[in-house]
Amino acid sequence: MELSNFSSGKKMSREERRYSVPHGPNTPLPPAASEDLHAWSIYRQNLNSDFTDSALGSSDKSPLPYGNFQLRDTTVQSILNHPRYGPKSPLGSNMYTYLKFGLPRVFPPNAGSQRSHRPGPGPGAGPGHGHGGSSALGGVRGRVNRAFRDSSGAPAGAGSSGYDSSDNETTRSRVPPNLRKYRSESDFRAIGGMPHSRPESRAQIGGGGVPMAALRQANSRASIAVGQHHHQMQQHQQQYGKHYGHRSHSEADLLGAGLSQVDGGGGGMGYDYNEARLYGSSRQYGNGNGHNPGSRKQSGMGLIYPNIQVHCLDVNPCLRGVSMQAKAGDLFAIMATSQREGSALAECLAGLTERLGGEILINGQQVSRRGLRELCSYVPALEVSSLDPRMSVQCTLNFHAALRGPIDRSDLEERMDVLIEDLGLNTVRASNVSTLTHSEKQRLSVACQLLAQSSLLILDQVTSNMDIFDTFFLVEYLRQWCSGGRIVIMTLQPPTFEILSMCSGVLLLSGGRTVFSGSRADLPRHMGELGYPCPPFKNPADYYLDLVTLDDLSAAAMLESSARIESLANAWDQINSEPPLAAPPASLPNFTMKAGFFGQISALIKRFAGYKQPGSLLTWISKLIAAAVLSLFIGCIFWDVPASDPQLSYHDRLGYHHCVMVLVYWPLVMLTIRDTQEDRRHAERDIRLGLYTRSLYIIVQSLLGLFPSLCIWLAYLLPAHSMAGLYTYSNSSDTGIYLYMGYMLLYLTLIQTLALFCAHLLPCKVSASIVNGLISLAVAAVGGYLVHPQNLAQFWSWLQFVSPERWLLPVLVQDEYSAETLSNSAGLQLCRNKQVQHQEIIVQQPCPPPNGTQVLVDFELLPQQHVLDPTPTYDQTTSVALVLGSVLVFCVTFIVFLCNCRGACRRKRSR
Amino acid sequence: MKMIGSDYVLEAHNIFHTTEVDGGGCFNGAGNSALVLKGVNLTVHSGEVMAILGSKGSGKRALLDVISRRADGATRGQVLLNGSPLSKALFQQRCGYVTQSCTFVPGLTVAQTLHYTPTILSGYLKSSKVRQVLADLALSQVAHKRVEYLNISEARRLAIGIQLVRDPVMLLLDEPTHGLDPLSAYLLISILSNTAKKTGCGILLSLEKPRSDVFPFLDRALFLCLGGVVYSGGTRAMLEYFHGIGFPCPQLENPLMYYLCLSTVDRRSRDRFLESSQQIEALVERFSRETPISDAPLNNMGSGKVPLAYGKPGELKVWVMLYLKLLASTFSCGLVGMKTLFLRLLLLPLALSILWAFYTDVGDDSHGFFTKNGMILNILGLSYGCGILTTISLFPIWRKKFSQDTPEGLYSGTTLLIAYNSVSIPFSAVSAVIASCVVYPLLLDVKYNNGTVFAYLLVALWSSFVLAEQLTIAFLLVVKVPFNAAIAVTYVLVISIALASGTVRSFKGLQPWLQDNTKGTHTRYASSLLHSIAFQSRKLNCTPTASVICPKPADFMHERLGLPDPDETIDVAASCAFAVGLAAFNMLVYLFPMPRCVRQKFKD
């Protein structure tokens, strides 16, 4: 009698839900439009059913969901002509096209249940409606396996094949009906036995309580099943060779270590101790409110450590009230209709973004964002942040291991080798990342985070754009990884049911709300109870994701799908209105060890010096050759300037210095800007993952880049200067060239620091070059060559104090125009005959040396006219000024680099 | 059986294809060869949608390339269209190929992009066709939206529309749903299915991860594994075939994905790899055994039929379309249009106006001569720089479209460059006129206007701009990243300025062999024009005193350029000859087919 009451209540609920689905409670519609939309929806579902049947090629037509329903012409016209719900495009002129575009991709609630009534090809239907489907599916699966084995001719006990998991699924699915039935009856009788309940509220309480109890029961069964499965895997692995035996031993050691830590966890880290105790006291109060000791004991039996519980999580900008639970051994799949929602949840769980509300418990303790970053390993999508293409696979792993690794680093090398071999990267160990395929890059990205040996691994979009069997490989590997007492949470859209079967838990998100969260095996049952069983020949992951996708292809489809999503999300909210019991507090899992200040510096230096070779070395050599060739060209053009200008009338000495200081270095500066922005693009990924800090990166990068760039500038200066011959006639020829090189290297370092500043200031290479060009043009215009100092406008006099060319040009030309140098060079020249008529007598005069001081006076290049220091120590002042200028520009670059992070965060928040 | 006039059949019989595995780079010799297609047979009728399914490396793209006659390497077998061998020219005229990359000209709207596609139709017929294609692809609501604001779903549909406007009888698509979200993928496949049935166009598309909801729209399926055919035929018969050979599809699996897994080598472990390889070999062998290979075409009517080809749009028509596309992109009212107009018209005048900050009130004494020398250096540098900047901002998108349109055979590189220069050279001339008005008062006295001198200044600025532009276009032929091309052009031009401009190294000071080499650069003639304008073309205003020295212009120019009185006519002719000659050289170079390494680089 009680069972019949419960059954009748269920039917009543189902019938009521059927009528309310087409229009949600929050969208009141006019009566006429409502009726027309309802008819429209029915018609489209009929069309979809008929279309699918014809596509599948089945000879016998399945009965249409609503019989032979046809739209009236008046209904069609009213829908098409409605100003709000009619088509807003020229597609409306073609009614058939509009109907085709508006085809629903999901079946209505009752059509699915009717479809499941069909007799399956298996050995006969089981008892009752709910069990028929699973029995039929089991029969079908059994037949699949039998046929496959017969056709392949392999013995039944042979090695594993691609469909072993299907066999496990069949075995697992046959056990639950009896257990579930028994548990349901017991729960119902217990609830019915409460004396204070009234008859009307008894049915309601019963209806609400059964899913809760079923969920708890399902979790318990899942735990037991996982344990059994693990046991089977252990036995299975021992049958294989020595390698598997070794791995089995290592896994046993890890399990033993985990257990011992759990046992001795009382004196562990006191992280958030007060909050945990407060939560515990709240649970104590809840316990005293009437829960019986048997229930608590059973709940305790189902808990496995480590575990993570998320309740009512709000993440900006698109997630609201997300809840989920996962425990050791769980491979938890987040299926979101929008990639942004899945990524937002994954980033929040990894501690990369701040949450607005809700709570995250790990082992029963509240964890802050910083704690999440230290506890979790996060694998981003390759499209978002790519690995450095210039490093090899081994060097990438070494780099990540140096920056973030487990606390125990004794067998790090061996573990790295095992990871490389297990993930199939052994053949490309020494290859550059740029030559890897997409799947190999993805596996390398996963391996970098697996090195940290953290208990919680979060992966975001790792299987998108991946081959189907690479997806199989990676998901199966992650399942084996988490079976050793870890948790794996990944955003995933399983392309096959087999991959869906590998996931133990599923979270279905739509519009930022939770539609389903729990064990993967409960997903079809939950959807079936709501009236949406999975139709045949559809991947359940595909179908349920389409079920909760907001269909914006047409106005009517938008209305229908939004109402459906609203009802599904509300149904889940009703089922899980009570927060689940928090797990008893236990010690937190091991934190990952993060490199400190000197560790980060050491890793960055090693990457610069060793990990990027030989690509980085080849790039540097090519820049060196470009600089040297450029220098040779300049040397040929300015070949032996003193010999070609003995009378100081051509100003070619000044032209040479201006050419070297302002004109010809432009290709090298543009190469510097390009390489700086390229390197920064890869560093932003590491900084975002928290491997090292921004300030440390910019300092180490600039300091380590100094010596290679000095070599390039030396190659740029030395050939040109030697060929120009400006110091071959000087008295201080042995030391003059070194002084010249020193001054010019300081000057070019300042120029390069300015280029780095522009490269970090602007995101685009072209705009950075333009800004650098404008600054250089302004500074060079007052440098003494482009504009004569006496023609310079008074307004620009202040600019001379910040012009490095203005500082350095007097220092460089002093010796070249000195009297001794000019006498030496003039002595080598044949003196031309100068004849002067002196009172009708032709007199041969000696050739006078040219006046260098006159040229310096003319161009305001005398030491007394130096803009910074008119005293005789102007050369030392110039050196100090160049160094201080470089340091000052570097400080501004440092500030710009740090502030860019703020700009990027602001831009992200506004989006 | 008598066929309807609009019915077409695409057949592929016993396709074997060998391609070269990519070697280390351009300078490697012939690399290793690999057999990527092994006896593929397929048939697509009008109005059908056929999906080529397979994992990475199974030969999907190779099959599409063989059918479209784009594949390099040895090919054996027949590809027939209505019984006639499908040649490259026939494919280009009557079929379409949509690749994964969606590159449109920024600044154009969706309707303009379709309208400026070269077709046989013109006038009212073309407008009607464009409107119909917009409606069929659900793009009417975004018809006036600029292509740079489209999302990926709309961009894919527009790429398909560009081929549909040409009314192909067969349309090939390479993974059209790659990167789309499930709803957009569903919309795209449903639109393709509807278009196929409406226009009678056969559609052949490749998919890597088909979802459950696209299964109803596919009429035929072809499963490839390492070039071998596991199944080829109708989707309705697919379930029966696999059921018959012992592989029925489970109820909870998507049939397309389930049989795709069956057709893919399982790489999870070595044992599974060997087992699945043997299984797939057995499946391929079984399918080839159950399907008798017929070399005869299905449709024999084509041999005596009127030829399929009715010609392609003429070269002049294509040029007009390119020209109109360039004009529409330049004058579009949007951010891209404003940027294009600014770069073409105002960049050079704005850059040269910077000189006003430093070069006013320059006298005619020796100091003034020295300062004007620096100004000429800046004028040359800024003109070259503006030419480089304008070209690396505007031309790469057309270079990318050229590399994508070349397999379609619509136009040659010469046609593209003629159209581009037809738009660019008038704009650069107007820009040079404005820039000359900016610079003229700095060099000359405004009170004495001289048209000839103004023309000399105009020629100097314009030829410098165009030379830098054409040199950048030449480098962009082989360099993919525009910034790298800018670095290369800057490298060449700074050496040219140092050598031949006379502003940093006097001509008399050069070595004799270098003096002769300066005659081979454009910079010499442009600099000579600027020096004539600055020093020779007007009356000097200088009074010699004890502290002021008045140099003679002839002596100064003899030092700087080697000529006391240069002939402006020769300089004008030489400057223009360098610019126009380089443009002609570019047209010649763009006409040649690209080497394989360059083509590989531009393929996304």
Side-chain angles (χ1 to χ4, degrees):
Chain A
M1 183 181 299
E2 292 169 343
L3 280 176
S4 65
N5 284 338
F6 175 73
S7 177
S8 65
K10 202 170 185 181
K11 285 182 179 178
M12 193 182 304
S13 169
R14 185 182 298 172
E15 287 177 2
E16 182 181 356
R17 193 182 303 116
R18 170 179 177 177
Y19 284 117
S20 66
V21 162
H23 4 263
N26 297 327
T27 56
L29 295 175
S34 170
E35 184 179 356
D36 288 336
L37 286 179
H38 182 64
W40 183 278
S41 179
I42 291 175
Y43 181 67
R44 289 192 306 156
Q45 287 157 22
N46 277 359
L47 270 184
N48 190 55
S49 176
D50 185 58
F51 202 67
T52 304
D53 284 337
S54 65
L56 288 176
S58 58
S59 56
D60 52 340
K61 296 287 183 179
S62 66
L64 295 177
Y66 295 100
N68 193 15
F69 185 86
Q70 294 295 330
L71 287 176
R72 298 192 309 269
D73 289 340
T74 55
T75 305
V76 172
Q77 291 304 320
S78 66
I79 289 289
L80 293 178
N81 296 326
H82 201 280
R84 184 180 172 189
Y85 307 117
K88 305 184 181 66
S89 65
L91 287 178
S93 63
N94 191 339
M95 189 178 65
Y96 187 62
T97 303
Y98 181 69
L99 289 173
K100 291 295 283 292
F101 285 164
L103 276 178
R105 297 153 66 211
V106 298
F107 289 109
N110 294 290
S113 67
Q114 288 179 13
R115 192 173 293 274
S116 69
H117 289 162
R118 293 191 308 170
H129 291 284
H131 307 314
S134 61
S135 296
L137 291 176
V140 168
R141 291 200 198 95
R143 184 175 175 181
V144 168
N145 287 283
R146 194 163 46 246
F148 171 70
R149 291 200 193 97
D150 291 342
S151 65
S152 65
S160 63
S161 68
Y163 305 102
D164 274 356
S165 58
S166 188
D167 194 1
N168 292 330
E169 186 65 25
T170 302
T171 306
R172 204 182 304 162
S173 66
R174 279 169 181 164
V175 175
N178 297 326
L179 290 181
R180 182 168 55 195
K181 188 174 182 180
Y182 173 77
R183 184 60 187 171
S184 300
E185 290 180 352
S186 177
D187 279 349
F188 190 73
R189 275 198 293 269
I191 293 169
M194 289 186 178
H196 62 273
S197 301
R198 290 176 298 172
E200 292 84 359
S201 63
R202 186 185 306 166
Q204 187 175 0
I205 291 173
V210 166
M212 182 75 70
L215 275 180
R216 198 176 294 118
Q217 178 70 31
N219 285 332
S220 301
R221 274 189 293 104
S223 307
I224 297 171
V226 167
Q228 291 177 354
H229 187 68
H230 185 66
H231 184 62
Q232 290 176 6
M233 283 179 63
Q234 288 285 353
Q235 287 183 348
H236 220 255
Q237 284 170 1
Q238 285 175 0
Q239 298 176 4
Y240 286 96
K242 187 178 178 181
H243 180 69
Y244 284 99
H246 175 68
R247 286 185 57 193
S248 175
H249 283 300
S250 69
E251 285 180 1
D253 290 342
L254 285 175
L255 282 174
L259 287 177
S260 64
Q261 284 188 5
V262 168
D263 289 340
M269 300 187 178
Y271 198 87
D272 284 338
Y273 182 68
N274 292 327
E275 294 186 16
R277 188 170 55 184
L278 184 62
Y279 205 86
S281 64
S282 168
R283 189 180 58 83
Q284 189 69 30
Y285 172 76
N287 194 17
N289 201 18
H291 289 271
N292 48 12
S295 172
R296 184 185 61 181
K297 184 178 179 182
Q298 189 173 10
S299 174
M301 281 170 52
L303 289 173
I304 293 179
Y305 293 91
N307 55 59
I308 179 172
Q309 295 169 295
V310 178
H311 183 61
C312 286
L313 194 69
D314 294 338
V315 181
N316 210 22
C318 52
L319 293 180
R320 294 289 178 270
V322 176
S323 303
M324 57 174 275
Q325 298 185 64
K327 63 187 183 304
D330 273 358
L331 177 68
F332 204 92
I334 298 171
M335 299 198 303
T337 57
S338 167
Q339 283 187 359
R340 273 175 69 232
E341 298 167 7
S343 298
L345 179 57
E347 286 173 4
C348 183
L349 290 178
L352 298 185
T353 54
E354 193 64 56
R355 60 182 186 262
L356 298 180
E359 55 192 4
I360 300 177
L361 307 175
I362 294 187
N363 284 0
Q365 301 190 34
Q366 288 264 4
V367 185
S368 67
R369 177 184 173 185
R370 179 188 166 92
L372 284 172
R373 286 177 76 111
E374 293 177 356
L375 281 166
C376 304
S377 290
Y378 175 68
V379 181
L382 271 190
E383 288 80 17
V384 175
S385 54
S386 58
L387 298 164
D388 198 328
R390 296 159 293 184
M391 293 163 63
S392 68
V393 171
Q394 183 77 52
C395 295
T396 304
L397 284 169
N398 284 332
F399 180 64
H400 280 82
L403 286 171
R404 179 172 187 165
I407 293 177
D408 180 18
R409 304 174 68 92
S410 56
D411 55 344
L412 189 60
E413 290 291 332
E414 183 186 343
R415 204 176 303 146
M416 208 180 295
D417 289 339
V418 169
L419 269 177
I420 287 180
E421 191 151 353
D422 286 346
L423 285 170
L425 299 169
N426 211 15
T427 56
V428 293
R429 181 192 287 254
S431 304
N432 264 18
V433 172
S434 58
T435 60
L436 302 185
T437 62
H438 182 84
S439 298
E440 285 165 344
K441 282 180 192 172
Q442 199 69 267
R443 296 203 296 268
L444 177 60
S445 189
V446 171
C448 291
Q449 301 302 326
L450 294 186
L451 278 175
Q453 293 280 319
S454 62
S455 298
L456 196 54
L457 179 67
I458 297 172
L459 305 101
D460 185 20
Q461 312 286 348
V462 290
T463 59
S464 61
N465 299 329
M466 199 183 256
D467 190 65
I468 180 62
F469 269 107
D470 288 327
T471 306
F472 268 107
F473 178 84
L474 189 61
V475 175
E476 186 171 357
Y477 184 82
L478 290 172
R479 187 171 72 148
Q480 293 176 15
W481 171 266
C482 67
S483 66
R486 301 181 183 88
I487 304 170
V488 172
I489 298 172
M490 62 195 303
T491 58
L492 182 66
Q493 294 186 7
T496 64
F497 181 69
E498 191 168 352
I499 293 180
L500 180 63
S501 303
M502 293 179 187
C503 307
S504 52
V506 167
L507 170 65
L508 197 54
L509 286 174
S510 174
R513 297 182 64 185
T514 304
V515 177
F516 177 82
S517 173
S519 175
R520 193 259 320 145
D522 285 342
L523 176 61
R525 197 168 56 82
H526 171 74
M527 289 300 183
E529 286 178 356
L530 295 179
Y532 296 97
C534 183
F537 296 132
K538 284 243 180 186
N539 182 8
D542 283 350
Y543 184 72
Y544 292 134
L545 205 55
D546 296 341
L547 195 71
V548 299
T549 297
L550 190 63
D551 191 344
D552 57 2
L553 299 182
S554 62
M558 168 81 89
L559 281 177
E560 183 200 11
S561 59
S562 60
R564 185 176 65 241
I565 293 166
E566 189 75 16
S567 65
L568 287 170
N570 287 338
W572 179 256
D573 288 344
Q574 288 173 11
I575 291 173
N576 296 270
S577 57
E578 295 287 337
L581 293 178
S587 64
L588 289 172
N590 287 332
F591 289 90
T592 57
M593 193 206 76
K594 190 178 174 182
F597 182 77
F598 294 104
Q600 292 177 16
I601 291 181
S602 173
L604 284 169
I605 290 173
K606 261 192 273 186
R607 179 175 80 159
F608 186 88
Y611 289 159
K612 291 186 188 178
Q613 308 303 335
S616 184
L617 184 63
L618 291 179
T619 302
W620 180 76
I621 288 176
S622 60
K623 290 167 80 174
L624 201 72
I625 291 173
V629 170
L630 201 58
S631 188
L632 288 176
F633 273 111
I634 301 306
C636 287
I637 292 170
F638 287 91
W639 180 263
D640 204 2
V641 169
S644 62
D645 187 16
Q647 296 301 315
L648 303 181
S649 57
Y650 294 159
H651 307 307
D652 280 352
R653 290 170 172 82
L654 295 178
Y656 169 76
H657 291 304
H658 181 78
C659 199
V660 169
M661 291 167 74
V662 172
L663 179 63
V664 178
Y665 66 70
W666 271 104
L668 304 177
V669 163
M670 291 167 82
L671 281 170
T672 300
I673 289 175
R674 183 194 69 177
D675 291 344
T676 300
Q677 295 213 344
E678 188 75 20
D679 191 75
R680 179 187 174 170
R681 193 164 61 84
H682 300 294
E684 289 286 346
R685 168 197 181 269
D686 298 336
I687 291 169
R688 190 162 176 271
L689 289 181
L691 295 180
Y692 42 81
T693 59
R694 296 187 76 90
S695 54
L696 209 53
Y697 166 73
I698 187 64
I699 290 173
V700 173
Q701 187 69 20
S702 299
L703 290 183
L704 291 183
L706 201 59
F707 179 74
S709 66
L710 284 180
C711 291
I712 291 171
W713 292 126
L714 198 61
Y716 168 71
L717 292 170
L718 195 52
H721 189 68
S722 303
M723 295 165 79
L726 287 175
Y727 279 89
T728 51
Y729 307 102
S730 173
N731 291 335
S732 59
S733 177
D734 49 349
T735 57
I737 191 168
Y738 300 115
L739 286 177
Y740 173 79
M741 290 299 164
Y743 287 128
M744 285 302 295
L745 285 178
L746 286 179
Y747 172 81
L748 290 170
T749 301
L750 175 53
I751 294 297
Q752 171 157 314
T753 312
L754 180 66
L756 291 182
F757 163 74
C758 297
H760 287 302
L761 178 67
L762 294 154
C764 180
K765 294 193 281 273
V766 175
S767 49
S769 300
I770 291 169
V771 170
N772 194 8
L774 290 178
I775 294 174
S776 298
L777 177 64
V779 168
V782 299
Y785 186 82
L786 290 176
V787 179
H788 196 278
Q790 294 183 11
N791 288 124
L792 192 65
Q794 201 63 32
F795 175 75
W796 296 112
S797 296
W798 62 271
L799 202 53
Q800 299 184 48
F801 292 95
V802 297
S803 173
E805 188 188 5
R806 188 60 177 157
W807 305 340
L808 191 57
L809 199 56
V811 181
L812 296 181
V813 299
Q814 285 303 314
D815 195 42
E816 296 169 16
Y817 284 96
S818 63
E820 295 84 2
T821 305
L822 292 174
S823 299
N824 292 337
S825 66
L828 302 179
Q829 297 291 322
L830 290 179
C831 187
R832 299 174 187 174
N833 291 325
K834 270 199 168 181
Q835 303 179 1
V836 177
Q837 288 192 1
H838 192 69
Q839 295 180 0
E840 297 183 359
I841 297 173
I842 300 175
V843 177
Q844 182 75 35
Q845 279 195 347
C847 183
N851 192 353
T853 309
Q854 181 61 42
V855 176
L856 296 181
V857 168
D858 195 26
F859 286 95
E860 297 187 6
L861 295 172
L862 286 175
Q864 301 89 282
Q865 295 165 314
H866 201 273
V867 291
L868 289 183
D869 188 5
T871 62
T873 59
Y874 66 100
D875 49 350
Q876 299 166 20
T877 307
T878 301
S879 304
V880 172
L882 289 172
V883 172
L884 285 183
S886 296
V887 171
L888 187 63
V889 176
F890 172 73
C891 291
V892 177
T893 306
F894 181 85
I895 293 169
V896 161
F897 187 76
L898 292 191
C899 289
N900 198 27
C901 180
R902 207 167 301 139
C905 286
R906 192 180 307 114
R907 200 177 311 122
K908 189 183 296 182
R909 286 179 193 279
S910 67
R911 191 196 327 151
Chain B
M1 179 181 69
K2 182 174 175 57
M3 304 281 292
I4 308 175
S6 64
D7 278 349
Y8 292 94
V9 184
L10 175 71
E11 307 167 60
H13 293 296
N14 272 332
I15 300 295
F16 288 83
H17 179 63
T18 303
T19 187
E20 293 185 357
V21 180
D22 285 336
C26 294
F27 307 104
N28 281 24
N32 301 321
S33 296
L35 188 65
V36 295
L37 291 176
K38 308 163 186 171
V40 178
N41 295 272
L42 64 84
T43 303
V44 187
H45 294 87
S46 294
E48 286 186 343
V49 179
M50 182 172 203
I52 302 175
L53 302 159
S55 60
K56 282 185 168 69
S58 60
K60 303 193 297 293
R61 184 171 292 177
L63 180 57
L64 292 179
D65 285 348
V66 164
I67 292 173
S68 62
R69 298 313 192 188
R70 299 183 177 190
D72 303 323
T75 303
R76 191 153 50 90
Q78 295 185 71
V79 181
L80 308 173
L81 183 64
N82 267 10
S84 304
L86 187 62
S87 62
K88 189 184 181 74
L90 186 58
F91 184 89
Q92 288 170 351
Q93 292 169 19
R94 297 299 288 138
C95 302
Y97 193 131
V98 181
T99 59
Q100 282 189 33
S101 57
C102 307
T103 304
F104 310 113
V105 177
L108 297 181
T109 61
V110 170
Q112 281 174 338
T113 302
L114 292 175
H115 195 79
Y116 292 134
T117 302
T119 54
I120 295 290
L121 305 174
S122 60
Y124 176 74
L125 290 177
K126 182 163 190 180
S127 300
S128 302
K129 186 65 178 177
V130 166
R131 249 184 282 115
Q132 181 188 350
V133 167
L134 286 172
D136 287 344
L137 296 172
L139 289 171
S140 297
Q141 292 181 349
V142 295
H144 303 294
K145 195 177 181 184
R146 302 198 184 281
V147 294
E148 58 263 22
Y149 300 120
L150 298 176
N151 55 41
I152 185 170
S153 174
E154 293 160 347
R156 289 290 169 84
R157 282 180 270 149
L158 181 55
I160 296 170
I162 287 175
Q163 300 298 328
L164 287 182
V165 153
R166 299 169 50 223
D167 209 4
V169 298
M170 285 288 157
L171 186 61
L172 275 65
L173 298 101
D174 184 13
E175 294 197 24
T177 59
H178 182 84
L180 293 182
D181 60 281
L183 193 64
S184 301
Y186 171 84
L187 174 67
L188 189 70
I189 303 293
S190 66
I191 282 176
L192 286 173
S193 176
N194 183 68
T195 300
K197 288 168 177 49
K198 184 176 177 181
T199 65
C201 165
I203 289 180
L204 190 65
L205 55 91
S206 62
L207 294 169
E208 190 167 305
K209 279 183 173 177
R211 295 183 86 252
S212 303
D213 50 358
V214 306
F215 181 69
F217 299 109
L218 304 177
D219 300 302
R220 291 174 174 263
L222 173 74
F223 289 92
L224 280 177
C225 178
L226 300 177
V229 177
V230 175
Y231 174 78
S232 172
T235 48
R236 302 184 184 187
M238 179 178 75
L239 294 174
E240 298 168 9
Y241 171 77
F242 282 108
H243 191 280
I245 65 175
F247 296 97
C249 180
Q251 290 276 315
L252 284 180
E253 284 287 3
N254 174 16
L256 295 172
M257 187 60 84
Y258 184 76
Y259 294 127
L260 178 59
C261 293
L262 195 67
S263 311
T264 307
V265 178
D266 190 346
R267 289 188 290 271
R268 285 181 276 185
S269 63
R270 181 169 175 80
D271 295 336
R272 282 174 167 168
F273 179 82
L274 294 176
E275 185 177 349
S276 58
S277 296
Q278 294 168 7
Q279 177 178 286
I280 290 167
E281 285 179 9
L283 286 171
V284 169
E285 186 180 349
R286 175 158 189 164
F287 181 76
S288 62
R289 188 170 65 246
E290 291 198 359
T291 307
I293 300 172
S294 62
D295 288 333
L298 297 181
N299 182 16
N300 287 313
M301 304 284 294
S303 54
K305 206 177 176 182
V306 176
L308 286 163
Y310 52 72
K312 55 198 285 186
E315 199 76 16
L316 182 63
K317 190 173 201 176
V318 176
W319 180 86
V320 168
M321 286 294 144
L322 278 172
Y323 182 75
L324 291 178
K325 199 183 291 187
L326 276 148
L327 281 184
S329 171
T330 305
F331 288 105
S332 60
C333 303
L335 206 61
V336 170
M338 286 193 293
K339 177 191 170 189
T340 307
L341 273 180
F342 171 77
L343 286 171
R344 291 197 189 277
L345 282 181
L346 299 179
L347 181 65
L348 184 60
L350 204 64
L352 291 182
S353 65
I354 297 174
L355 303 179
W356 276 81
F358 301 103
Y359 291 103
T360 52
D361 296 330
V362 178
D364 284 327
D365 51 353
S366 61
H367 299 166
F369 272 38
F370 188 79
T371 303
K372 285 193 196 310
N373 187 72
M375 177 162 52
I376 290 170
L377 174 60
N378 273 334
I379 289 174
L380 284 173
L382 288 172
S383 299
Y384 285 150
C386 292
I388 296 171
L389 177 59
T390 301
T391 311
I392 64 169
S393 300
L394 301 179
F395 187 74
I397 193 68
W398 298 94
R399 170 74 182 92
K400 195 175 179 185
K401 273 198 70 63
F402 170 64
S403 64
Q404 290 171 4
D405 293 340
T406 299
E408 300 184 18
L410 283 178
Y411 53 89
S412 61
T414 302
T415 306
L416 170 71
L417 286 189
I418 290 175
Y420 186 82
N421 289 328
S422 299
V423 173
S424 171
I425 286 177
F427 273 105
S428 60
V430 173
S431 176
V433 167
I434 303 173
S436 301
C437 296
V438 170
V439 173
Y440 190 88
L442 292 176
L443 290 168
L444 293 167
D445 201 351
V446 191
K447 287 178 285 186
Y448 306 100
N449 281 321
N450 195 336
T452 307
V453 175
F454 186 86
Y456 294 158
L457 179 60
L458 168 63
V459 166
L461 293 177
W462 178 77
S463 62
S464 301
F465 188 93
V466 172
L467 182 96
E469 181 185 44
Q470 298 299 321
L471 201 57
T472 310
I473 288 174
F475 274 103
L476 280 171
L477 181 66
V478 294
V479 178
K480 186 185 178 184
V481 182
F483 196 73
N484 292 351
I487 293 174
V489 176
T490 305
Y491 199 99
V492 171
L493 288 180
V494 295
I495 294 175
S496 178
I497 289 175
L499 172 69
S501 70
T503 51
V504 289
R505 175 60 154 165
S506 60
F507 182 87
K508 300 301 287 182
L510 285 172
Q511 300 293 303
W513 63 279
L514 283 175
Q515 289 177 357
D516 294 333
N517 279 337
T518 59
K519 294 184 175 63
T521 62
H522 163 269
T523 312
R524 171 183 170 83
Y525 304 103
S527 180
S528 180
L529 280 174
L530 292 171
H531 276 87
S532 299
I533 295 162
F535 302 111
Q536 200 97 24
S537 303
R538 59 188 177 84
K539 186 182 188 319
L540 298 183
N541 183 15
C542 180
T543 306
T545 58
S547 62
V548 172
I549 301 171
C550 296
K552 296 178 181 178
D555 293 342
F556 185 80
M557 293 186 66
H558 188 259
E559 291 174 8
R560 293 280 122 188
L561 298 174
L563 296 173
D565 190 3
D567 191 349
E568 287 88 2
T569 308
I570 295 178
D571 292 334
V572 165
S575 297
C576 295
F578 268 97
V580 175
L582 197 53
F585 173 77
N586 280 340
M587 293 176 191
L588 191 65
V589 170
Y590 269 70
L591 196 57
F592 293 131
M594 290 296 106
R596 190 162 171 271
C597 51
V598 175
R599 206 178 336 127
Q600 201 74 28
K601 187 197 297 184
F602 277 91
K603 184 184 295 182
D604 291 318

